[in-house]
């Protein structure tokens, strides 16, 4: 059996090296460095090089593990262990020099996320958890901040770059929360949104059109901080199902109710 804590400690160190690389490169980015993977879906040499850096370091920790990566640096899938990596979550923020982005690294054992690390270098904040641990921010235990009333709860969300078939219903949900909660924030990084919910800055996060590397690390962090994670139908297809609700318990119930109310 692997030692989850030791692996998490190693991943924290790798995440910080990668995050510091992002910080050194942000002022060097030029318009000619920005490529389009799709509509409003950007990639730079920074994403790719950070992913290479992370992959090579992770191979030394768990040589038998495979990889699920955003930039496709390594595509080998293994039977038992797989790393799920987003080297730069919030690339649009990054290329526009908006200081909200992060590295996100998770380890999946069979179908369970057993290690998750999110490092946001602008504030030097490292969120992490591993199997059977508590959740932490820079070494301090964190928990979700549940609030009994929707009107006092603050939410986060994001809007998909390409999938617009549900947008009318999604906007109705957005308006509902604007009218009935303390507000809705759109930071531009799903991993940061989940981490902020895990430590109580937000009460809930919901979004569709996501990839596994956007949410994998956050899943274990918020679960072990006392939060609830599901897809929009309150099921378990949130890692590969392209939709997620990650929230404190009361906010999770309210979010599922709103999604159902408006046909999502």
């Amino acid at each position: 059996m692997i030692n989850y804590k030791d692996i998490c400690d190693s991943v924290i160190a790798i995440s910080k090296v990668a995050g510091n690389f992002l910080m050194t490169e942000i002022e060097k980015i030029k318009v000619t460095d920005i490529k389009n993977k799709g509509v409003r879906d950007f990639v730079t040499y920074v994403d790719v090089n950070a992913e290479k850096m992370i992959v090579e370091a992770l191979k030394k920790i768990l040589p038998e593990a495979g990889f699920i990566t955003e930039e496709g640096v390594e595509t080998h899938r293994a039977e038992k262990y797989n790393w799920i990596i987003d080297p730069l979550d919030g690339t649009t923020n990054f290329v526009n020099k908006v200081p909200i982005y992060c590295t996100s690294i998770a380890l999946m054992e069979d179908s369970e996320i057993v290690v998750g690390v999110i490092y946001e270098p602008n504030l030097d904040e490292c969120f992490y958890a591993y199997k059977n641990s508590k959740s932490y921010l820079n070494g301090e235990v964190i928990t979700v901040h549940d609030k009994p009333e929707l009107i006092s709860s603050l939410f986060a969300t994001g809007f998909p770059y390409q999938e617009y078939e549900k947008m009318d219903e999604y906007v109705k949900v957005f308006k509902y929360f604007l009218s009935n909660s303390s507000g809705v924030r759109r930071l531009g990084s799903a991993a940061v949104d989940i981490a902020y919910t895990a430590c109580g800055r937000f009460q809930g996060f919901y979004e569709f059109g996501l990839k596994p590397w956007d949410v994998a690390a956050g899943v274990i962090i918020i679960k072990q901080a006392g939060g609830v994670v599901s897809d929009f139908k309150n099921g378990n297809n949130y890692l590969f199902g392209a939709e997620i609700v990650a929230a404190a318990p009361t906010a999770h119930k309210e979010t599922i109710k709103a999604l159902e109310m408006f046909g999502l």
Side-chain angles (χ1 to χ4, degrees), residues 127 135 142-145 193-200 202 221-222 225:
F127 303 83
S135 294
I142 56 173
T143 60
V144 296
H145 184 190
D193 287 332
I194 297 173
Y196 281 12
T197 305
C199 72
F202 300 137
I221 295 170
I222 191 166

Side-chain angles (χ1 to χ4, degrees), residues 69 76 100 105 119 227 246 264:
T69 65
H76 166 68
I100 300 174
I105 303 173
Y119 180 58
L264 285 174

Side-chain angles (χ1 to χ4, degrees), residues 136-231:
Y136 299 90
L137 165 55
N138 291 350
E140 299 294 326
V141 174
I142 56 173
T143 60
V144 296
H145 184 190
D146 206 9
K147 295 186 177 182
E149 296 181 350
L150 179 60
I151 194 64
S152 61
S153 297
L154 184 63
F155 288 82
T157 191
F159 292 91
Y161 294 126
Q162 298 166 336
E163 300 177 24
Y164 294 108
E165 68 278 2
K166 301 177 181 177
M167 191 56 73
D168 288 346
E169 295 87 351
Y170 202 75
V171 169
K172 290 177 182 177
V173 174
F174 184 70
K175 288 180 178 178
Y176 173 82
F177 280 118
L178 285 178
S179 301
N180 294 281
S181 73
S182 286
V184 185
R185 301 292 181 262
R186 202 269 193 183
L187 301 185
S189 167
V192 170
D193 287 332
I194 297 173
Y196 281 12
T197 305
C199 72
R201 295 172 187 170
F202 300 137
Q203 276 60 64
F205 166 73
Y206 64 96
E207 188 172 347
F208 77 95
L210 296 172
K211 303 295 184 183
W213 45 79
D214 296 316
V215 301
V219 163
I220 187 170
I221 295 170
I222 191 166
K223 278 185 175 181
Q224 298 191 191
V228 182
V229 182
S230 74
D231 58 30

